[in-house]
Amino acid sequence: MMLLDLLLPSRQSRILLASKVLGCFFLMLGVAVGLFFLFQILVPIFGYLESGFVISAVLIALAIAFFFLAQNKQTTPQEEAIQKALNIFKDFDLESLLKNKPFAITLLSFIAGIILSQLKKSKIFQR
C-alpha cells in the first residue's frame, strides 16, 4: 500500500477499517507477549545471549519469507484481469470486422436478441 492510498477516501467503512486496525494491534501484542514468554523459556536452556539470537533469527527468517512471498505476487487479481482483457482486444479491429462480415454480425445479434428475450422471465434477471 502506498502512502497516497492512505490519503484517498477509503472504499471501506470506517468501522471495518477500525476493526482491522484493532485486529492488527492485538495480533502484534499477542506475538510480542508470546515472544517474551518464549525468551523466558529459552533463557535457562541456552542463556540470555543465545536465546535472544534464536528469537531474532526466527523473526528475521519470517520477515525474509514474507518479503519473498510479497515479491512473487506483484500484481493484484484486478490488474491481471485488466491486462488479460486488454490483450484480448489488442488486435481487435471493429471497423474491418463490420465491413467484412455484416451478415454474420446481424444474424448473431438477432439470435442473441431472441435468446435474451426468452431469459427475461428467468430468476437471474429478477430482483
Side-chain angles (χ1 to χ4, degrees), residues 77-97:
Q78 292 174 347
E79 291 174 354
E80 282 185 24
I82 290 171
Q83 286 293 8
K84 286 180 183 178
L86 289 176
N87 288 337
I88 290 171
F89 294 111
K90 186 177 182 181
D91 297 324
F92 185 70
D93 189 15
L94 183 63
E95 186 177 346
S96 67
L97 181 68

Side-chain angles (χ1 to χ4, degrees), residues 32-111:
V33 170
L35 288 175
F36 172 75
F37 283 112
L38 178 65
F39 179 76
Q40 292 297 324
I41 289 172
L42 292 177
V43 166
I45 298 170
F46 295 118
Y48 283 102
L49 197 59
E50 290 83 3
S51 298
F53 175 73
V54 169
I55 291 176
S56 296
V58 168
L59 290 176
I60 291 170
L62 281 173
I64 290 172
F66 281 123
F67 282 134
F68 280 125
L69 288 175
Q71 251 182 358
N72 290 339
K73 189 177 180 184
Q74 293 176 352
T75 59
T76 61
Q78 292 174 347
E79 291 174 354
E80 282 185 24
I82 290 171
Q83 286 293 8
K84 286 180 183 178
L86 289 176
N87 288 337
I88 290 171
F89 294 111
K90 186 177 182 181
D91 297 324
F92 185 70
D93 189 15
L94 183 63
E95 186 177 346
S96 67
L97 181 68
L98 291 174
K99 285 182 181 177
N100 294 336
K101 300 178 182 181
F103 180 73
I105 293 174
T106 306
L107 185 63
L108 184 65
S109 299
F110 180 71
I111 292 171

